[in-house]
Amino acid sequence: MITTLELHQMFDFRMDKEHTQDAPSIHPLTKDKFINLAIDTFVKTRYLKTDLTEKNRQDISPFLIQNTFTPQILSPTLLSYDLATLTPPHWYTIKMMIPQHLNCQSPYIEIVPEKHDNVFHRLNNPFKKPKPNKCFYTLQKEKTIQIYKHPDTHIPSIQIWYIKQYTPANILTNAVTDVTPQILQDIIAIATQYAIEHILSQRIQTFPPLHPTAHPTP
């Protein structure tokens, strides 16, 4: 993992190399903001592509967590769990599955996401409502989920794959971030791009648009 100081050093090197020497100095805390914004952008874009290529899965691997939790039973067909209690902290869900007995046809039952507006439609539709091998969940306020299941489906625990909240860069503590050498160049490239755009926007604001001089009416 890369420390915040190492990220700052790479940031400065790339800014000097790709921008120009007339670039203003950037405060260390501002560098933290650009770097953390870059990590945020990097993770979100890779999260959306986790199932597309092996490279995307490798890129996101420092942030991908596999965990197990025991849901709260609200009724024979409804379970609940607060994802905010997971450690490391939960950010985005990749998938959730119920482990089954080895003698079953499939070792897992996948729990698929569903929109709130479709819940009653699915529950009242005999072809779409939960089956012994089919469950779905909805996201309630903040991080709480509700899982809809068939009465015969036994769910002692649930396995979850999720993107964790990353450890942000912090130059005051020289925090050890989640950035690895494999994704370092990508993170720094995004961070310096944000910095350059910020510098250019400030310069544009410094020079207001010129208005043509009004000529007196003859």
Side-chain angles (χ1 to χ4, degrees):
M1 299 298 180
I2 309 296
T3 66
T4 300
L5 179 59
E6 291 172 317
L7 288 173
H8 278 224
Q9 291 170 342
M10 289 297 298
F11 178 91
D12 292 339
F13 175 78
R14 182 147 186 158
M15 284 294 291
D16 290 341
K17 180 180 178 182
E18 294 199 1
H19 198 37
T20 59
Q21 294 183 354
D22 66 340
S25 60
I26 299 176
H27 192 279
L29 295 181
T30 304
K31 293 178 190 177
D32 277 354
K33 292 181 180 179
F34 288 135
I35 291 169
N36 288 328
L37 183 57
I39 299 173
D40 186 281
T41 301
F42 179 89
V43 174
K44 285 180 179 177
T45 54
R46 295 326 191 265
Y47 158 71
L48 296 174
K49 301 177 180 178
T50 48
D51 293 328
L52 294 182
T53 67
E54 181 63 27
K55 183 181 184 306
N56 284 324
R57 287 192 289 270
Q58 291 176 355
D59 286 346
I60 205 90
S61 62
F63 309 92
L64 182 59
I65 301 297
Q66 179 181 350
N67 212 329
T68 302
F69 64 86
T70 301
Q72 178 186 2
I73 300 175
L74 301 182
S75 76
T77 59
L78 184 62
L79 309 177
S80 178
Y81 188 77
D82 183 5
L83 297 178
T85 62
L86 290 171
T87 304
H90 172 278
W91 195 10
Y92 297 115
T93 298
I94 299 293
K95 63 180 177 180
M96 289 191 291
M97 308 188 86
I98 307 165
Q100 291 196 102
H101 194 274
L102 293 177
N103 293 332
C104 298
Q105 288 185 338
S106 174
Y108 294 99
I109 296 175
E110 186 171 5
I111 310 174
V112 298
E114 185 57 88
K115 297 179 180 179
H116 288 279
D117 296 343
N118 294 338
V119 169
F120 291 110
H121 172 70
R122 288 198 60 167
L123 293 177
N124 294 324
N125 187 322
F127 298 102
K128 295 185 177 182
K129 67 181 183 179
K131 304 289 194 302
N133 62 345
K134 183 183 297 183
C135 305
F136 67 88
Y137 74 92
T138 57
L139 182 63
Q140 305 300 308
K141 60 180 180 179
E142 297 180 353
K143 293 284 185 178
T144 302
I145 59 171
Q146 288 192 340
I147 302 165
Y148 298 83
K149 73 179 190 69
H150 189 276
D152 295 338
T153 304
H154 180 55
I155 307 181
S157 63
I158 294 174
Q159 288 189 355
I160 182 172
W161 287 258
Y162 65 94
I163 303 298
K164 70 172 184 175
Q165 288 279 359
Y166 61 86
T167 303
N170 186 336
I171 194 60
L172 297 179
T173 62
N174 194 23
V176 178
T177 68
D178 296 306
V179 178
T180 62
Q182 290 76 15
I183 62 175
L184 174 60
Q185 295 301 327
D186 290 326
I187 298 295
I188 295 302
I190 298 171
T192 53
Q193 184 60 40
Y194 281 135
I196 292 170
E197 291 175 358
H198 178 72
I199 293 168
L200 291 176
S201 67
Q202 284 186 324
R203 288 177 176 174
I204 291 172
Q205 293 172 3
T206 302
F207 300 99
L210 297 176
H211 297 284
T213 305
H215 295 285
T217 303

